[in-house]
Amino acid sequence: MPGIRETRRMPYTPEQMFDLVADVGRYSEFLPWVVATRVRSNSDTEMVADMLVGFKALKEKFTSRVEKQRPDQLRVHYVDGPLRDLDNSWTFRPVEGGCEIDFCVDFAFRNPIFEKIAGQYFDRAFRKMVGAFEERAADLYGSSSSSATNVA
């Protein structure tokens, strides 16, 4: 099952980064390959959302349930779609000058051919997605502080 874990230090508060990541309804505005999103339900502690992702003619819909513990953690639970499994978590810890973000994602496709292809491109796609979140944070909150640093 392809997966990755990374820790980043960002010059923003845990609350700011939590709000950015929890704003699933706006993902199509800045995340590569996210074609559309639909938030089915949303409360202070839980959200259920659909995400349509695509590359060229290939498009797939995922449904996830997100547990929210503001401002410390988001845990994404896979509900339905082309995957066999998806585990994703975001943890936000305050540090001097901003916050430290621990991101972890593991997934498995139902189709073993997709699994093999995804494994080959996963690291590159992950880096592109991380960059998109960093750019979005700078757009929303300003970039007057130093840029993000990779901790792990």
Side-chain angles (χ1 to χ4, degrees):
M1 180 157 93
I4 199 160
R5 181 182 188 141
E6 188 158 326
T7 302
R8 293 275 177 132
R9 192 166 287 201
M10 300 287 291
Y12 311 106
T13 67
E15 291 83 0
Q16 287 173 313
M17 293 308 298
F18 179 96
D19 290 344
L20 186 156
V21 175
D23 194 5
V24 173
R26 300 196 91 123
Y27 278 12
S28 63
E29 295 176 18
F30 69 96
L31 280 178
W33 309 297
V34 176
V35 177
T37 56
R38 180 181 67 153
V39 177
R40 293 182 183 191
S41 63
N42 194 9
S43 72
D44 288 341
T45 59
E46 183 178 275
M47 172 191 329
V48 176
D50 298 327
M51 187 180 310
L52 182 65
V53 295
F55 182 72
K56 298 187 180 184
L58 204 74
K59 289 189 176 52
E60 292 286 350
K61 184 182 91 167
F62 298 79
T63 302
S64 298
R65 182 175 58 82
V66 181
E67 288 179 34
K68 300 188 286 184
Q69 297 174 356
R70 189 174 197 279
D72 304 315
Q73 186 176 55
L74 292 162
R75 294 191 54 82
V76 180
H77 303 281
Y78 183 67
V79 175
D80 189 39
L83 299 174
R84 186 179 53 210
D85 192 22
L86 170 72
D87 292 313
N88 177 218
S89 67
W90 298 79
T91 304
F92 310 94
R93 288 182 295 280
V95 296
E96 188 174 330
C99 74
E100 191 172 271
I101 302 167
D102 186 45
F103 175 80
C104 181
V105 64
D106 293 299
F107 65 92
F109 280 96
R110 295 183 202 278
N111 183 324
I113 294 169
F114 283 173
E115 179 91 9
K116 186 173 177 111
I117 292 168
Q120 293 173 359
Y121 296 100
F122 182 64
D123 188 62
R124 191 176 332 154
F126 174 77
R127 305 274 172 240
K128 190 168 183 153
M129 300 282 276
V130 166
F133 275 105
E134 291 172 347
E135 288 176 26
R136 179 68 169 184
D139 289 346
L140 291 176
Y141 309 126
S143 57
S144 60
S145 301
S146 60
S147 64
T149 57
N150 191 353
V151 177

